[in-house]
Amino acid sequence: MTTKHRHENPILVTGAAGAVGGVGRNLTEFLLAKGHKVRALVRREDKRAEALRRLGAEVVQGDLTDLASMHRAIEGCQRIYFGMSVSAAYLEATINTAAVARHHGIEAFVNMSQMTVSQMSISETTDSPQHKLHWLAEQALSWSGLPVVTVRPTVFLEGFFLTLATPGVRAADELALPMGDGKTSPISAVDVARAVAVILNDPAPHIGQIYDLTGPESADLDHYARAFSEALGRPIRYRDVPLAAWSEGLRRMRFPEHVVNHLSAMTELNRLGRYDRMTDTMQKLTGEAPTSMRDFVKLHAAEFKERGPA
């Protein structure tokens, strides 16, 4: 699609200022670089909102669960990226956004889901409350009549392998996670954002599709510890920590109970091999290979620098 064929309507990006994963923030940047107008929905006015304005986005403050907010955000847009951090209000936010999007007659609704949903059904769920909300949200969107594109990434590198792993790597040269010997294929949120930007740039061929996105390999945590060692230039080992103690640590870090339950369930699923998945969808969509663990750790090396006991 060339610039002269692009719509003048802005593309709505929800969760544009979110810190977890960072899909919305990166997607905003990619779409602006492609010459699109972007309306970035943020929960509050802060430095992150101002940074989005400096990029060139139109920033709108609002709440995904609030009807009036979503009318203000969606009116005048034809394409929407819907993504939201792990939250007990996720299903309400999805349906509220979808109802308003249908009212305004949008032409594409890109929904950020999770790959675990592909292994769920009307009779099969997981112990994660968030997974059930994602499954229900996908059901509702399929009933809505909206022109939906569903994106299902596996585990984000920015989650387990940056936010949650950094303290152990800094203090003890340990990748300390309760993930057993299961294999996983984590993907960077930046790569996911790049794939979504391709879809939103020209959505028509993608309507009705479901895209499972993984990283470039599926491996166990010992393998990824070796990738950390190569990237950081010092030995990093994997330590399979007890789940109960790890979950309690999340609570001490003031993670909401809904999030603790979700992350804990994900580690159990990893032990069972549920994240041992591989696709070449990222390459097919973007023409680029997804970021490897080694390259990801090198990119964030300063954050893993040794700083003494945590």
Side-chain angles (χ1 to χ4, degrees), residues 18-292:
V20 177
V23 174
R25 165 59 171 77
N26 286 287
L27 175 59
T28 297
E29 190 166 356
F30 288 141
L31 290 173
L32 289 168
K34 290 177 180 290
H36 291 285
K37 296 178 181 178
V38 175
R39 181 176 294 166
L41 181 67
V42 301
R43 186 67 183 269
R44 61 183 62 85
E45 286 287 349
D46 55 18
K47 291 181 179 179
R48 294 177 299 177
E50 189 54 39
L52 291 167
R53 287 194 179 92
R54 288 197 298 270
L55 286 175
E58 172 195 357
V59 176
V60 176
Q61 183 181 11
D63 182 341
L64 290 165
T65 65
D66 179 70
L67 197 62
S69 287
M70 296 318 297
H71 276 291
R72 289 195 305 271
I74 292 173
E75 187 173 12
C77 295
Q78 289 295 308
R79 303 171 190 177
I80 295 173
Y81 163 75
F82 177 81
M84 183 182 184
S85 297
V86 176
S87 168
Y90 177 83
L91 182 60
E92 179 187 0
T94 305
I95 294 176
N96 189 63
T97 303
V100 179
R102 181 171 176 172
H103 172 79
H104 288 282
I106 56 95
E107 67 180 14
F109 188 106
V110 179
N111 174 48
M112 182 58 57
S113 188
Q114 295 192 9
M115 192 177 291
T116 309
V117 174
S118 66
Q119 296 172 308
M120 297 171 67
S121 70
I122 194 65
S123 58
E124 296 289 335
T125 187
T126 78
D127 289 335
S128 162
Q130 185 70 23
H131 283 153
K132 183 177 181 182
L133 296 182
H134 273 284
W135 186 83
L136 289 170
E138 284 198 25
Q139 302 308 300
L141 288 173
S142 72
W143 305 329
S144 71
L146 285 167
V148 177
V149 185
T150 300
V151 178
R152 293 174 176 168
T154 185
V155 177
F156 280 132
L157 284 166
E158 288 81 356
F160 279 94
F161 294 94
L162 183 60
T163 302
L164 299 178
T166 297
V169 174
R170 283 178 181 168
D173 290 333
E174 289 183 342
L175 195 56
L177 294 166
M179 298 177 78
D181 57 4
K183 294 181 178 180
T184 186
S185 52
I187 187 168
S188 169
V190 179
D191 289 334
V192 174
R194 186 176 289 112
V196 174
V198 169
I199 295 167
L200 284 168
N201 188 59
D202 183 16
H206 306 285
I207 300 300
Q209 297 299 310
I210 297 173
Y211 294 115
D212 291 344
L213 299 179
T214 74
E217 61 181 344
S218 183
D220 62 23
L221 274 289
D222 285 318
H223 174 87
Y224 289 133
R226 291 192 291 273
F228 268 74
S229 300
E230 293 170 6
L232 298 177
R234 66 183 200 267
I236 306 296
R237 62 187 176 276
Y238 168 53
R239 182 165 65 92
D240 182 21
V241 299
L243 176 57
W246 185 79
S247 300
E248 189 56 39
L250 296 181
R251 294 184 181 96
R252 289 197 300 271
M253 294 167 65
R254 298 179 183 271
F255 279 81
E257 192 64 21
H258 179 87
V259 177
V260 173
N261 291 337
H262 172 59
L263 296 176
S264 300
M266 287 181 70
T267 67
E268 286 293 283
L269 292 173
N270 191 84
R271 287 176 179 271
L272 297 172
R274 287 281 289 271
Y275 292 104
D276 185 12
R277 307 281 298 280
M278 278 293 298
T279 73
D280 60 357
T281 309
M282 178 71 195
Q283 179 81 43
K284 288 180 176 178
L285 279 173
T286 68
E288 299 180 35
T291 305
S292 69

